Amino acid sequence: MTQNQGWGSGHHGGWGGYPPPPTAKPGVIPLRPLGAGEIISGSFSTLGRYWKQLGGVFLAVHGIWLLIVVAAAGIAFAAVREHVAPVFDVTDGRAPDREHLTPILLAGATLLVLLVVLGITSLALSASLHQTVLRNAVLGRPVAFRALWRATWRRAPAVAGTVVLSGLIAAAPMLVVMAVWLPMTFAGAADDSPSGMVVLLPFLLILTMPLMVWLTTLFGLAPAAVVMEPAGPVTALRRSARLVKGDWWRVFGVTMLAGLIAGLVAWLIQLPFHLVALFTLIPAVSDMPEGGVPPVGALFLFVLLVLVGGIGGQLVQTGFMQLVSGLLYVDLRIRREGLAAELLRAVQAGPAAPVPSPSPVA
């Protein structure tokens, strides 16, 4: 890769007909086809080397999200405050009046939509963040917080589109089942015989699981293609499918292994925070008079410790999985498109040279 070229999808051959040097490891991985262990260790190495940058952006984004959620919840509660008591303080068994219930349902639905949008955006930003860091980590180059912040937001919209499209495609079998099952269930309810359809639903959903897993794995490398090349959502999905084709079982196996490791590490990170939080709250609860409430300070410390442990576990778990996905993308391109030669040329350009700007996908 020259200084002005990027991680496009061109086929550049190998190392000019010669095998790559065995010690070519400028960053977190050697520049050759990777084994599962090297993908796992490379992901951990990336987290270890760039934890300050990753943690800084992650906390900044989630801090903004928290402020938005708190502000939205406060506004929603203020808007429906006068309707809360009539809905929840009904003592005579009557159903709440529609004039009071409707505003609360609308406020709740609005908050739910906001949470879904923020969740998708957060996932997109996290994927964009980790893939951007990985581009530097593979070349062994540092990355500043400000540059990482800008690059993360620049590719986040395309990553979000990719996440939504791949999620809809993977969920398509389940959506088809529901589209067929719901009308049949309503028709059975009209005939007073819906029980058979209710029992049938779990079996139908189980039948869709293999196809959903296959589709999820097939398109799992799309976020990496969005950031590395760069590519639009549709092009990235096609790139992922082409790269995974023929190596589906290997990609699936490495992803499952990484998921087990990430879950265990996240649990180990959260466990001490949860234990300290629990042992902090127990004395306050044991000294509490019957019918009383725990002290505000103890509750605050409990929630804070659980929140810190959860954020730390989520940062490692989600970030690790996205880095594994990115290294699978790099590995498949090294095996099929001679990407190692491009990466070595980028390294030879010198550490002072900027990280190459990705070129459009052919």
Side-chain angles (χ1 to χ4, degrees):
M1 177 174 4
T2 64
Q3 182 173 337
N4 296 322
Q5 291 177 329
W7 296 32
S9 60
H11 298 262
H12 302 277
W15 292 70
Y18 298 94
T23 57
K25 187 181 178 181
V28 295
I29 58 168
L31 300 183
R32 54 171 172 74
L34 304 174
E38 290 169 324
I39 292 174
I40 299 296
S41 63
S43 300
F44 276 122
S45 296
T46 303
L47 288 175
R49 293 188 187 185
Y50 298 89
W51 67 270
K52 292 182 180 180
Q53 297 90 328
L54 290 169
V57 176
F58 186 90
L59 291 176
V61 168
H62 282 74
I64 295 173
W65 275 200
L66 182 61
L67 291 176
I68 293 174
V69 171
V70 170
I75 294 172
F77 179 76
V80 301
R81 185 174 182 177
E82 61 183 17
H83 302 285
V84 173
V87 169
F88 293 100
D89 292 343
V90 176
T91 57
D92 56 3
R94 293 186 300 106
D97 293 335
R98 181 175 297 180
E99 64 175 316
H100 297 297
L101 184 60
T102 300
I104 293 178
L105 292 177
L106 289 176
T110 302
L111 286 177
L112 180 60
V113 171
L114 176 63
L115 290 175
V116 170
V117 172
L118 290 179
I120 294 174
T121 308
S122 178
L123 182 60
L125 285 169
S126 180
S128 180
L129 165 68
H130 288 86
Q131 301 303 336
T132 301
V133 165
L134 189 61
R135 286 185 60 227
N136 293 272
V138 169
L139 300 175
R141 295 183 177 180
V143 57
F145 175 87
R146 183 176 299 179
L148 181 59
W149 178 265
R150 290 197 302 266
T152 297
W153 282 93
R154 188 182 305 120
R155 297 307 300 160
V159 176
T162 304
V163 169
V164 172
L165 278 177
S166 60
L168 289 174
I169 293 172
M174 181 183 66
L175 296 176
V176 170
V177 167
M178 295 301 297
V180 174
W181 179 82
L182 284 174
M184 295 179 66
T185 300
F186 288 138
D191 298 333
D192 296 327
S193 58
S195 58
M197 292 303 301
V198 173
V199 174
L200 183 61
L201 179 62
F203 294 99
L204 293 175
L205 293 179
I206 290 173
L207 291 176
T208 66
M209 291 302 297
L211 181 56
M212 293 174 64
V213 170
W214 180 76
L215 290 171
T216 300
T217 304
L218 189 68
F219 298 119
L221 307 187
V226 169
V227 176
M228 303 288 193
E229 299 192 5
V234 175
T235 303
L237 292 174
R238 291 173 178 169
R239 281 286 287 153
S240 178
R242 285 199 296 267
L243 288 171
V244 174
K245 184 179 180 181
D247 278 291
W248 188 94
W249 282 107
R250 180 172 175 272
V251 173
F252 174 76
V254 173
T255 302
M256 290 298 100
L257 175 62
L260 292 174
I261 294 173
L264 176 60
V265 172
W267 179 77
L268 291 175
I269 291 174
Q270 296 176 42
L271 182 60
F273 288 95
H274 290 184
L275 290 176
V276 173
L278 185 62
F279 288 128
T280 301
L281 188 62
I282 287 176
V285 173
S286 62
D287 296 336
M288 184 179 64
E290 186 176 354
V293 295
V296 174
L299 283 176
F300 176 78
L301 183 59
F302 175 82
V303 172
L304 179 63
L305 289 170
V306 171
L307 184 63
V308 170
I311 291 175
Q314 183 185 9
L315 173 61
V316 173
Q317 186 170 15
T318 60
F320 179 76
M321 293 304 298
Q322 287 156 357
L323 292 173
V324 167
S325 174
L327 287 179
L328 280 169
Y329 163 89
V330 172
D331 170 60
L332 289 173
R333 288 201 56 193
I334 288 176
R335 292 172 183 269
R336 299 184 181 183
E337 300 177 359
L339 180 64
E342 283 192 77
L343 297 177
L344 184 61
R345 286 194 290 270
V347 172
Q348 292 172 342
V355 176
S357 300
S359 55
V361 179

